[in-house]
Amino acid sequence: MPSTSGKQHRFMAAVANNPKFAKKAGVPQSVGEEFIKADKGRKFSEGGDMKESKKMIGKELAFMKAKAAPKAMIKHEKAEMKGMKKMASGGLAAGHKAADGIAKKGKTRGMQVKMANGGKC
C-alpha cells in the first residue's frame, strides 16, 4: 500500500530503517518496508495549504449567489476578500502601526524606583 502523504512516507521510512523507533511507534518494520517499496518512484512535493486568490473568492461569491446561499456565508466571503487587501499591503489586518498599541521606543529599559525620603525599602 503506498503512502498517502509525505508525512506518512517519512514516518514509514523511519519505521523501516530504525528498529528502536518501530518498536516505540508500535508498527512492525515489515509494514514500513512494504510502504517504502510501494512508494518507490513517487514524489510527495505538495507544499502547505495555499491561500485563496481574489479571483477564486470572486468565483465562490458568484456561485453562492447563483445557488442562493445563506447571506451570512456570502458576508463571510466578502469580509475575507477585504481582509486580503489589507494584508497584501504588508501591514497588520487592523491597520495598526504598532503591534501592541502601546509600543514605544525604549519600553524594555527598566527604571530604578527612588524613595521620596532617600531611604531603602
Side-chain angles (χ1 to χ4, degrees):
M1 167 181 268
S3 300
T4 57
S5 66
K7 187 176 181 179
Q8 186 183 29
H9 173 75
R10 291 187 301 276
F11 175 78
M12 289 300 175
V15 167
N17 296 313
N18 189 341
K20 224 177 189 180
F21 180 76
K23 187 174 182 180
K24 184 179 174 184
V27 179
Q29 271 193 295
S30 60
V31 172
E33 290 166 359
E34 187 180 314
F35 269 82
I36 297 304
K37 204 178 285 182
D39 289 344
K40 202 165 197 114
R42 291 187 68 201
K43 290 184 181 179
F44 298 97
S45 58
E46 180 186 324
D49 293 334
M50 290 180 60
K51 292 182 180 176
E52 286 184 300
S53 66
K54 290 178 190 176
K55 189 176 181 181
M56 189 65 197
I57 292 175
K59 286 182 180 180
E60 283 181 16
L61 282 171
F63 178 77
M64 286 179 181
K65 288 177 182 175
K67 297 292 181 181
K71 288 182 181 179
M73 261 178 130
I74 294 172
K75 185 178 178 184
H76 171 76
E77 288 297 321
K78 285 182 179 178
E80 194 175 288
M81 196 167 184
K82 285 180 185 173
M84 287 179 67
K85 289 177 186 172
K86 290 178 183 174
M87 292 302 286
S89 66
L92 297 170
H96 296 289
K97 294 209 180 230
D100 61 1
I102 58 167
K104 291 190 170 111
K105 186 175 180 182
K107 74 174 184 175
T108 57
R109 201 168 110 197
M111 293 191 66
Q112 187 67 35
V113 177
K114 294 180 183 173
M115 300 293 284
N117 61 5
K120 297 180 181 177
C121 292

